[in-house]
Every structure is written in C-alpha cells, then in structure tokens.
Amino acid sequence: QVQLVESGGGLVQPGESLRLSCAASESSFRPYIMGWYRQAPGKQRELVATITGLGRTYYANSVKGRFTISRENAKTTVYLQMNSLTPEDTAVYYCNMKNSPSTIGFWGQGTQVTVSS
C-alpha cells in the first residue's frame, strides 16, 4: 500500500555533494524509523544511516561526519545529504521506512550514486 519514491542520485566527481530524497505515498504514514542503505557491485547491502520518528539519528562509521540524515516535520519524507563524496560511496542507495518495530517496512526503488573523476 505504501510506496516510497527516491530521487537525487546521479554522477558526481570526488569531493562534491549530493542530496537524496525519499517520499512516502501516504501522507498519514508515520514511520517508527527511517533509514538509508546502499549496495555496491559485488558487495553486501549495508546500513548507512537511520532516523527515528522522534528525530534520533545513527550513522555507519564509514559516513560519519560526511553524511547527514534528516526528515520533514510531516515525517513522510527522509533526506540524505552526502558531502565529500569518494569513489567508495558509489552504490545503489535504498531508503526504508517502517511504522512499528514488528514490521519489515517498505523499500524504495533505489537510486544510483556514482562518484568518479
């Protein structure tokens, strides 16, 4: 029922910035937690960052100090601000939202981020 639409991916050079967005189709949806994951070619999908419905955040060590996760007041849109990008950040980025701890949640379609000279 709930669909997540991602946008903001693209091709950038090392050191540049990119901002990803993920919006839920249902305005009444109130996520318990929202997060961003990424999967690079030949690698496992990894957690990048999360933010709770109350605004508490978590970051993977690989992105601390460079990435910032945030949400709109309506809590139906989540963002990922990515600064100082490196080629190692190249991956397909997926957003996830769930409205309770007992559900697996919903996934976005994924957006490609490529960092290359």
Side-chain angles (χ1 to χ4, degrees):
Q1 183 176 353
V2 176
Q3 293 182 322
L4 305 183
V5 180
E6 299 182 34
S7 63
L11 174 63
V12 297
Q13 294 184 323
E16 295 184 340
S17 299
L18 210 57
R19 185 173 184 248
L20 306 182
S21 299
C22 177
S25 61
E26 296 291 335
S27 61
S28 61
F29 187 57
R30 294 293 180 267
Y32 166 79
I33 191 169
M34 300 172 282
W36 288 94
Y37 297 75
R38 68 184 182 186
Q39 186 167 17
K43 296 185 178 181
Q44 297 180 0
R45 184 172 61 183
E46 64 175 343
L47 176 65
V48 176
T50 62
I51 184 169
T52 69
L54 297 177
R56 192 170 187 176
T57 59
Y58 165 85
Y59 297 94
N61 289 333
S62 60
V63 305
K64 283 183 179 179
R66 299 189 299 119
F67 290 10
T68 302
I69 188 171
S70 62
R71 59 167 175 79
E72 295 284 2
N73 291 335
K75 302 178 182 179
T76 55
T77 302
V78 63
Y79 304 95
L80 185 67
Q81 178 67 45
M82 304 183 293
N83 298 327
S84 302
L85 286 165
T86 73
E88 293 185 344
D89 296 316
T90 296
V92 177
Y93 285 71
Y94 301 89
C95 67
N96 176 270
M97 301 184 188
K98 60 181 181 180
N99 58 5
S100 72
S102 60
T103 181
I104 192 171
F106 303 91
W107 289 93
Q109 81 282 2
T111 184
Q112 177 70 48
V113 172
T114 302
V115 185
S116 179
S117 299

